[in-house]
């Protein structure tokens, strides 16, 4: 089972959390000027990288607070968890992501 470290409650089982999708997606600067296609892209289209991804999570079975998680989409390993008012932490790429030989 995946362990997610809530910044307020500490590590808990993934069953206590709900994923809210990609983190750090800025709200449109002029939402009234977007057409239907642009709104559709904002609402439904997200990055889907192979490797490190920043996601929003809510501790629904605990403190009910939102926070961000850096997670590797290949191994599902949680690399970092941080509050929404904190900057994204710098994570050193793995040897595979850096292109180093195995």
């Amino acid at each position: 089972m995946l362990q997610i470290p809530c910044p307020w409650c500490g590590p808990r089982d993934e069953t206590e959390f709900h994923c809210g999708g990609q983190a750090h997606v800025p709200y449109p600067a002029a939402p009234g000027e977007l057409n239907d296609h642009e709104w559709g892209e904002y609402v439904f289209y997200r990055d889907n990288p192979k490797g490190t991804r920043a996601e929003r999570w809510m501790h629904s079975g605990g403190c009910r607070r939102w926070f961000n998680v850096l997670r590797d989409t290949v191994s599902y390993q949680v690399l970092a968890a941080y509050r929404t008012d904190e900057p994204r932490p710098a994570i050193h790429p793995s040897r595979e992501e850096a292109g180093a030989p195995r």
Side-chain angles (χ1 to χ4, degrees), residues 2-7 17 19-25 47 49-58 66-84 86-94 97:
L2 186 65
Q3 290 280 309
I4 299 174
C6 174
F17 299 90
C19 184
Q22 182 178 343
H24 309 293
V25 177
D47 296 336
K50 181 177 181 180
T52 305
R53 172 182 162 94
E55 300 171 330
R56 297 176 29 165
W57 286 80
M58 189 201 25
W66 285 96
F67 60 97
N68 295 326
V69 169
L70 290 180
R71 184 178 64 83
D72 186 304
T73 61
V74 177
S75 67
Y76 293 100
Q77 179 183 11
V78 173
L79 305 172
Y82 55 103
R83 297 187 326 247
T84 57
E86 296 176 327
R88 178 180 171 154
I91 299 293
H92 298 292
S94 69
E97 289 174 334

Side-chain angles (χ1 to χ4, degrees), residues 15 36 48 53 61 89:
T15 57
D36 289 344
N48 189 19
R53 172 182 162 94

Side-chain angles (χ1 to χ4, degrees), residues 26-70:
Y27 191 75
E33 297 176 11
L34 298 182
N35 60 35
D36 289 344
H37 177 75
E38 292 167 328
W39 267 116
E41 287 185 352
Y42 169 72
V43 173
F44 298 110
Y45 288 80
R46 295 291 181 254
D47 296 336
N48 189 19
K50 181 177 181 180
T52 305
R53 172 182 162 94
E55 300 171 330
R56 297 176 29 165
W57 286 80
M58 189 201 25
H59 192 180
S60 55
C63 63
R64 303 193 59 79
R65 293 182 181 182
W66 285 96
F67 60 97
N68 295 326
V69 169
L70 290 180

